[in-house]
Amino acid sequence: MEPDAETLDAARPLLVLYADISGSTRLFEEHGDEQARTACAACIQVMTEVVERHRGSVIKTIGDEIMAVFDDPARGVMAGTDLQGAVRGAGQEGRFVTGELRIKVGLHYGLALEEVDDLLGEAPTVAQHVIKLAKADQVLTTLATLEAVPPMLRSATRFLERVSFTPGGEPHEVHELIWEVSGLTQMADVNLPERRVEQTRLVLVYEGREYVCDADSPMLSIGRVAGNDIVVPTDLTSRRHADIEYRRGRFSIADNSANGTLVMVENGGTTSLRREDLALRGAGRLCMGGIPEENPRGIIEYRCE
């Protein structure tokens, strides 16, 4: 039953996220009920851990799908992309008895009414329509969501289509959140000629102190505890959070952390790393866990020379 207008007066802005295991029907056909259920339960546990790490709540599970809610839309967007990396990583680590699993994610920020074990209103309705448009390995959201988050979280997105989810309803812009570093690289390569720039020195600045990575010091470790070359003592930084490496005239950063690393390039581009590596060019900032607003002491400035 649809809520009446008086009931919806109690609604408030929330980010609603749906995440669904792709190809679950084939999973049951190929592996049988017991193994398929075990794999789906393990996947839902992985997704729940990601949601809770970003301070969201799983409202309910619907078969092989979860519905989650976030007060902060930025946390919800980060959770959406982190879900993909976490499920892929769990599959590679052998946590699913059926082998690697793939998921799709849809989310929307709007008005929602919280009930016991459910949500009503515009936000869950639109989010549910959005996930129906998603394919395996995709994270889709709406323009309304992107307008509610910091600019750095909007940079790694691409417009897909405008669609009305109800007859005669207002159309929504649907955008894809790009979470794979390889995907971002391929998109850039379409428009840019290939060129190789030799770099000889990477300078990192943390709380006023400079650290240099070059041919004489080709490896730097970054982490929360003593023993790392750069100690970043925040709750969102992992013990051995990331490594910087100089090799064949290039600098790269490899994320090893639980909360990921944001690479914010000076020109405004942002890439979220989760157990991945990325070449560093030009200048910018690194956030060692979370986003700058919630981890201001986790920011390291860098420049390639």
Side-chain angles (χ1 to χ4, degrees):
M1 183 176 66
E2 290 294 324
D4 56 33
E6 183 177 350
T7 302
L8 284 179
D9 285 343
R12 65 188 182 96
L14 292 169
L15 186 134
V16 178
L17 177 152
Y18 285 92
D20 185 17
I21 301 171
S22 298
S24 58
T25 300
R26 181 171 52 82
L27 198 69
F28 279 83
E29 293 173 350
E30 293 182 357
H31 297 276
D33 289 358
E34 184 176 351
Q35 285 198 330
R37 286 197 187 97
T38 300
C40 288
C43 187
I44 287 172
Q45 179 60 36
V46 170
M47 294 193 291
T48 300
E49 291 168 1
V50 172
V51 168
E52 292 177 347
R53 186 164 66 245
H54 287 281
R55 302 184 191 176
S57 300
V58 173
I59 301 298
K60 62 181 178 180
T61 60
I62 312 111
D64 54 6
E65 180 181 67
I66 66 168
M67 172 203 271
V69 65
F70 299 81
D71 290 314
D72 183 348
R75 293 183 189 276
V77 167
M78 291 184 65
T81 54
D82 281 356
L83 280 168
Q84 292 285 4
V87 170
R88 176 171 292 184
Q92 293 170 347
E93 293 166 6
R95 290 183 61 177
F96 309 135
V97 295
T98 56
E100 295 187 20
L101 297 178
R102 302 169 71 189
I103 64 169
K104 55 184 182 178
V105 180
L107 47 114
H108 175 66
Y109 181 64
L111 291 177
L113 177 68
E114 298 168 280
E115 292 198 334
V116 178
D117 299 327
D118 205 358
L119 293 171
L120 301 174
E122 182 243 0
T125 300
V126 173
Q128 196 165 44
H129 283 293
V130 169
I131 195 174
K132 290 177 181 177
L133 299 175
K135 300 175 182 178
D137 303 326
Q138 280 191 318
V139 183
L140 302 187
T141 190
T142 58
L143 178 62
T145 305
L146 298 180
E147 290 176 338
V149 301
M152 64 182 176
L153 293 181
R154 301 197 294 266
S155 61
T157 63
R158 59 183 171 194
F159 169 75
L160 291 184
E161 60 180 312
R162 287 172 61 87
V163 57
S164 295
F165 298 127
T166 57
E170 182 179 349
H172 289 269
E173 282 193 15
V174 178
H175 295 250
E176 181 177 6
L177 299 171
I178 308 300
W179 63 277
E180 291 185 283
V181 174
S182 59
L184 287 173
T185 302
Q186 290 167 3
M187 289 174 66
D189 287 345
V190 169
N191 299 312
L192 296 177
E194 185 176 351
R195 61 193 179 103
R196 182 175 179 84
V197 179
E198 292 288 334
Q199 300 167 330
T200 60
R201 192 167 182 261
L202 175 68
V203 179
L204 300 109
V205 181
Y206 180 65
E207 295 193 334
R209 181 177 174 182
E210 286 194 354
Y211 302 82
V212 175
C213 182
D214 56 16
D216 295 326
S217 301
M219 291 285 294
L220 286 178
S221 62
I222 305 171
R224 189 179 69 241
V225 298
N228 288 286
D229 297 301
I230 306 177
V231 177
V232 180
T234 78
D235 291 340
L236 293 175
T237 304
S238 295
R239 294 173 62 86
R240 178 70 176 253
H241 194 97
D243 293 302
I244 303 286
E245 182 180 7
Y246 177 67
R247 185 170 56 184
R248 297 194 296 272
R250 293 289 184 92
F251 296 98
S252 64
I253 180 169
D255 174 75
N256 315 307
S257 71
N259 292 316
T261 300
L262 278 183
V263 181
M264 298 165 281
V265 184
E266 197 170 53
N267 65 10
T270 301
T271 301
S272 177
L273 300 179
R274 184 179 176 83
R275 307 298 174 103
E276 299 163 310
D277 58 6
L278 180 70
L280 294 176
R281 300 180 179 86
R285 298 183 300 159
L286 309 171
C287 187
M288 315 311 292
I291 58 177
E293 286 82 354
E294 63 186 26
N295 192 17
R297 285 198 65 200
I299 297 174
I300 300 173
E301 297 181 356
Y302 74 88
R303 67 179 184 273
C304 299
E305 301 177 344

PDB file of all heavy atoms in Angstrom, residues 4 71 83 92 94 126 175 211 227 259 284:
ATOM      1  N   ASP A   4       0.241   7.615   2.485  1.00  0.00           N
ATOM      2  CA  ASP A   4      -0.501   8.823   2.151  1.00  0.00           C
ATOM      3  C   ASP A   4       0.363  10.051   2.389  1.00  0.00           C
ATOM      4  O   ASP A   4       1.457   9.987   2.937  1.00  0.00           O
ATOM      5  CB  ASP A   4      -1.796   8.892   2.966  1.00  0.00           C
ATOM      6  CG  ASP A   4      -1.555   8.827   4.474  1.00  0.00           C
ATOM      7  OD1 ASP A   4      -0.506   9.347   4.933  1.00  0.00           O
ATOM      8  OD2 ASP A   4      -2.406   8.261   5.185  1.00  0.00           O
ATOM      9  N   ASP A  71      22.666   8.011   6.137  1.00  0.00           N
ATOM     10  CA  ASP A  71      22.328   9.408   6.414  1.00  0.00           C
ATOM     11  C   ASP A  71      23.156  10.349   5.549  1.00  0.00           C
ATOM     12  O   ASP A  71      22.678  11.402   5.121  1.00  0.00           O
ATOM     13  CB  ASP A  71      22.562   9.734   7.892  1.00  0.00           C
ATOM     14  CG  ASP A  71      21.557   9.057   8.805  1.00  0.00           C
ATOM     15  OD1 ASP A  71      20.361   9.096   8.501  1.00  0.00           O
ATOM     16  OD2 ASP A  71      21.972   8.465   9.820  1.00  0.00           O
ATOM     17  N   LEU A  83      31.657  -1.715  -2.559  1.00  0.00           N
ATOM     18  CA  LEU A  83      30.994  -3.022  -2.623  1.00  0.00           C
ATOM     19  C   LEU A  83      31.550  -3.854  -3.770  1.00  0.00           C
ATOM     20  O   LEU A  83      31.798  -5.058  -3.619  1.00  0.00           O
ATOM     21  CB  LEU A  83      29.486  -2.837  -2.804  1.00  0.00           C
ATOM     22  CG  LEU A  83      28.673  -2.496  -1.563  1.00  0.00           C
ATOM     23  CD1 LEU A  83      27.264  -2.057  -1.955  1.00  0.00           C
ATOM     24  CD2 LEU A  83      28.596  -3.683  -0.611  1.00  0.00           C
ATOM     25  N   GLN A  92      38.279 -13.588  -5.136  1.00  0.00           N
ATOM     26  CA  GLN A  92      39.660 -13.963  -5.435  1.00  0.00           C
ATOM     27  C   GLN A  92      40.333 -14.643  -4.246  1.00  0.00           C
ATOM     28  O   GLN A  92      41.252 -15.444  -4.422  1.00  0.00           O
ATOM     29  CB  GLN A  92      40.441 -12.717  -5.865  1.00  0.00           C
ATOM     30  CG  GLN A  92      39.969 -12.148  -7.199  1.00  0.00           C
ATOM     31  CD  GLN A  92      40.555 -10.794  -7.515  1.00  0.00           C
ATOM     32  OE1 GLN A  92      41.133 -10.129  -6.656  1.00  0.00           O
ATOM     33  NE2 GLN A  92      40.431 -10.367  -8.776  1.00  0.00           N
ATOM     34  N   GLY A  94      38.757 -16.694  -2.340  1.00  0.00           N
ATOM     35  CA  GLY A  94      38.121 -17.999  -2.154  1.00  0.00           C
ATOM     36  C   GLY A  94      37.047 -18.046  -1.082  1.00  0.00           C
ATOM     37  O   GLY A  94      36.734 -19.116  -0.554  1.00  0.00           O
ATOM     38  N   VAL A 126      12.941   5.007  -6.433  1.00  0.00           N
ATOM     39  CA  VAL A 126      13.845   5.342  -7.530  1.00  0.00           C
ATOM     40  C   VAL A 126      15.078   4.435  -7.512  1.00  0.00           C
ATOM     41  O   VAL A 126      15.522   3.953  -8.557  1.00  0.00           O
ATOM     42  CB  VAL A 126      14.253   6.825  -7.466  1.00  0.00           C
ATOM     43  CG1 VAL A 126      15.334   7.135  -8.505  1.00  0.00           C
ATOM     44  CG2 VAL A 126      13.037   7.720  -7.688  1.00  0.00           C
ATOM     45  N   HIS A 175      23.552   8.019 -14.002  1.00  0.00           N
ATOM     46  CA  HIS A 175      24.995   8.072 -14.212  1.00  0.00           C
ATOM     47  C   HIS A 175      25.643   6.803 -13.671  1.00  0.00           C
ATOM     48  O   HIS A 175      25.154   6.196 -12.716  1.00  0.00           O
ATOM     49  CB  HIS A 175      25.602   9.283 -13.490  1.00  0.00           C
ATOM     50  CG  HIS A 175      25.143  10.604 -14.027  1.00  0.00           C
ATOM     51  ND1 HIS A 175      25.967  11.450 -14.731  1.00  0.00           N
ATOM     52  CD2 HIS A 175      23.930  11.228 -13.961  1.00  0.00           C
ATOM     53  CE1 HIS A 175      25.301  12.542 -15.077  1.00  0.00           C
ATOM     54  NE2 HIS A 175      24.056  12.430 -14.619  1.00  0.00           N
ATOM     55  N   TYR A 211      59.057  13.987   2.129  1.00  0.00           N
ATOM     56  CA  TYR A 211      59.600  12.650   1.924  1.00  0.00           C
ATOM     57  C   TYR A 211      59.832  12.501   0.422  1.00  0.00           C
ATOM     58  O   TYR A 211      59.008  12.944  -0.390  1.00  0.00           O
ATOM     59  CB  TYR A 211      58.621  11.578   2.394  1.00  0.00           C
ATOM     60  CG  TYR A 211      58.227  11.698   3.847  1.00  0.00           C
ATOM     61  CD1 TYR A 211      57.223  12.591   4.238  1.00  0.00           C
ATOM     62  CD2 TYR A 211      58.851  10.935   4.829  1.00  0.00           C
ATOM     63  CE1 TYR A 211      56.855  12.712   5.572  1.00  0.00           C
ATOM     64  CE2 TYR A 211      58.486  11.041   6.166  1.00  0.00           C
ATOM     65  CZ  TYR A 211      57.487  11.936   6.533  1.00  0.00           C
ATOM     66  OH  TYR A 211      57.126  12.050   7.853  1.00  0.00           O
ATOM     67  N   GLY A 227      57.355   2.292  11.985  1.00  0.00           N
ATOM     68  CA  GLY A 227      57.974   1.315  11.096  1.00  0.00           C
ATOM     69  C   GLY A 227      57.713   1.637   9.643  1.00  0.00           C
ATOM     70  O   GLY A 227      58.456   1.203   8.764  1.00  0.00           O
ATOM     71  N   ASN A 259      40.130   0.667   4.120  1.00  0.00           N
ATOM     72  CA  ASN A 259      39.248   1.798   3.810  1.00  0.00           C
ATOM     73  C   ASN A 259      39.559   2.484   2.502  1.00  0.00           C
ATOM     74  O   ASN A 259      38.908   3.458   2.133  1.00  0.00           O
ATOM     75  CB  ASN A 259      39.293   2.822   4.952  1.00  0.00           C
ATOM     76  CG  ASN A 259      38.667   2.284   6.214  1.00  0.00           C
ATOM     77  OD1 ASN A 259      37.616   1.671   6.174  1.00  0.00           O
ATOM     78  ND2 ASN A 259      39.340   2.493   7.344  1.00  0.00           N
ATOM     79  N   GLY A 284      49.059  16.521  -6.707  1.00  0.00           N
ATOM     80  CA  GLY A 284      47.732  16.337  -6.122  1.00  0.00           C
ATOM     81  C   GLY A 284      47.818  15.963  -4.667  1.00  0.00           C
ATOM     82  O   GLY A 284      48.800  16.285  -3.969  1.00  0.00           O
TER      83      GLY A 284
END
